[in-house]
Amino acid sequence: VIQSMLEQAVVTPTPDEADCRRHFDAHRDVYVQGQALHVRHILFAVTPEVNVHAVLVRAEQALLELSRPGVPPGRFAQLAAELSNCATGPAGGDLGWIGPDNCDPDLASELFHHKHSRWGMGVHPRLIHTRQGFHILEVLGRRKGKPLPYEEVRERIAAELALHLRADALKQYMARLVHDATIEGLDLDDRALQGAALPGFE
């Protein structure tokens, strides 16, 4: 019943061809087939019982060490074995070849979908924060992949935009409901407020 009421009350605009084309032009780097990176990492896990500040400081220290010129070739693998909270630690933190569709969404966003994602090979210049914790990443290899034509991704883009538009429309509707809501059982007119004495201030 509630869902039916929402369907009637919330009008969601439908993305048109211009919306889809504009989104595609602004996010061409997302619509690529076959792109992949050979990556290794050091994970500093964040769990409810750890001191996040201490973990972050240790991760920053390790990143600083690995970013300095002249770091010995085996140092990354050594630190991964010593510090990483990932099962890949003993293997030097090697994640193998990963693409945007088969890794953590936060990693995918950082590695594939940001403008600075193409910084090149080597250690990523900053820590990457995901739901697991903080990562130091090193790119060992890169496959560029093939850009997909608009016609192949048009339906996917339309579906993604429709989901975003629906979420925005629902948020606006709920905000309007909250704004217009009245709470029964409370008399909060001016006279009641003026006559009310706060404890300790009679």
Side-chain angles (χ1 to χ4, degrees):
V1 176
I2 293 175
Q3 185 173 354
S4 177
M5 289 172 59
L6 283 175
E7 292 293 337
Q8 294 174 10
V10 181
V11 179
T12 305
T14 303
D16 59 19
E17 189 67 19
D19 294 327
C20 293
R21 175 66 73 171
R22 195 161 41 246
H23 180 85
F24 175 76
D25 289 338
H27 302 89
R28 285 177 183 268
D29 57 324
V30 174
Y31 303 105
V32 177
Q33 185 177 49
Q35 63 178 328
L37 297 174
H38 182 194
V39 175
R40 61 181 176 179
H41 79 147
I42 301 172
L43 170 63
F44 297 83
V46 172
T47 57
E49 62 273 6
V50 305
N51 181 330
V52 177
H53 177 71
V55 171
L56 181 58
V57 168
R58 185 65 191 97
E60 290 282 6
Q61 288 172 342
L63 176 61
L64 184 63
E65 178 183 347
L66 293 170
S67 301
R68 289 188 180 123
V71 177
R75 186 56 176 155
F76 192 104
Q78 184 182 2
L79 284 177
E82 291 174 8
L83 304 174
S84 185
N85 299 121
C86 178
T88 62
D94 198 340
L95 293 171
W97 287 91
I98 60 172
D101 298 324
N102 64 355
C103 67
D104 182 284
D106 294 321
L107 283 181
S109 177
E110 190 72 28
L111 290 172
F112 296 98
H113 304 325
H114 284 174
K115 288 181 180 177
H116 66 256
S117 294
R118 293 170 286 284
W119 79 88
M121 308 289 282
V123 176
H124 193 289
R126 62 190 181 90
L127 293 175
I128 296 177
H129 185 205
T130 71
R131 288 166 291 182
Q132 286 78 40
F134 303 103
H135 303 254
I136 297 174
L137 279 164
E138 182 177 20
V139 174
L140 303 172
R142 180 182 295 273
R143 295 178 189 146
K144 289 185 178 179
K146 180 186 75 171
L148 293 169
Y150 172 73
E151 292 71 27
E152 285 190 28
V153 294
R154 196 262 177 225
E155 288 187 14
R156 173 180 158 193
I157 291 172
E160 290 171 354
L161 289 179
L163 278 175
H164 286 298
L165 290 170
R166 180 67 177 164
D168 288 342
L170 282 170
K171 273 192 250 180
Q172 291 174 10
Y173 176 70
M174 296 304 289
R176 198 165 58 248
L177 284 180
V178 171
H179 180 267
D180 296 341
T182 57
I183 302 174
E184 295 183 2
L186 291 177
D187 183 7
L188 296 178
D189 62 23
D190 290 341
R191 287 170 301 171
L193 288 172
Q194 289 168 5
L198 293 175
F201 291 89
E202 290 89 359

